[in-house]
Amino acid sequence: MHELLSIAPGSIPVHRLASPAPHSRTVRRSAIQDPRWAAVTAHLAALREQGRHAIRIVDADCGAGALLLGALLYARALGFTAIEGRGIEVSPPLVGRARASAARLRNPAIGVTFEVGDVATALRDEAEVPADLLLWHRYPAQDAPDVRVALSRAAKVVIDDSAAAADRWAA
């Protein structure tokens, strides 16, 4: 069963990054300003409270990777010991920025890749081994049922940033 979380501002308490690395100030600032941040931190905290030690997070349409990197750092601060992240973006310059930020991570518990690619194709690939958490920002036109199906299969939980998305993506 896959779950979609649509976020209304102020509906979920904000959790703060615990002991972020000094290089992550910009990442942290950008991540906590994202409307999905509260849901991401709440979901990670809930998984950790359930005793989970490993997590796999995918950020489709990741931009420069700030939200994904912030989520990975937050997961580590919560005590996750095996953290895998994958960022997908169509813009090569943004992927370059994300890779540069990721290169500064010096934590053996965190593995992250950023790639240039078509989001719909990447989401279909994710169905083979669904992520624990998928961060979704961009919405295709209503005539893109292939992306809708791919989203529903790509992760156990999809967190988006649109209250209207629940109507659009609900199965």
Side-chain angles (χ1 to χ4, degrees):
M1 181 85 174
H2 300 280
E3 180 181 351
L4 174 75
L5 299 178
S6 290
I7 304 161
S11 63
I12 299 174
V14 175
H15 298 267
R16 299 264 185 241
L17 281 171
S19 305
H23 76 273
S24 68
R25 284 189 189 136
T26 301
V27 167
R28 181 184 58 196
R29 189 175 331 115
S30 295
I32 63 174
Q33 290 175 354
D34 189 292
R36 299 167 289 177
W37 181 248
V40 169
T41 59
H43 183 69
L44 290 172
L47 288 174
R48 197 59 195 105
E49 288 173 13
Q50 294 169 12
R52 293 282 305 272
H53 294 281
I55 184 93
R56 184 162 179 272
I57 305 170
V58 173
D59 189 349
D61 194 29
C62 68
L67 181 61
L68 178 58
L69 292 170
L72 300 175
L73 289 166
Y74 187 75
R76 185 64 185 123
L78 286 174
F80 283 91
T81 57
I83 305 158
E84 180 184 343
R86 179 183 182 202
I88 306 145
E89 173 60 49
V90 297
S91 169
L94 289 176
V95 169
R97 288 178 52 199
R99 287 176 178 162
S101 293
R104 291 189 293 272
L105 289 179
R106 303 265 191 257
N107 193 314
I110 300 174
V112 61
T113 60
F114 288 97
E115 59 196 68
V116 176
D118 174 64
V119 174
T121 302
L123 288 174
R124 283 191 294 277
D125 293 344
E126 285 299 321
E128 293 177 22
V129 181
D132 296 297
L133 179 59
L134 178 95
L135 308 175
W136 182 246
H137 183 64
R138 185 174 67 178
Y139 303 102
Q142 289 287 7
D143 60 347
D146 59 326
V147 174
R148 180 182 172 155
V149 170
L151 268 173
S152 70
R153 295 179 180 162
K156 296 170 187 158
V157 174
V158 176
I159 296 178
D160 68 30
D161 60 356
S162 168
D167 295 332
R168 245 183 274 169
W169 300 110

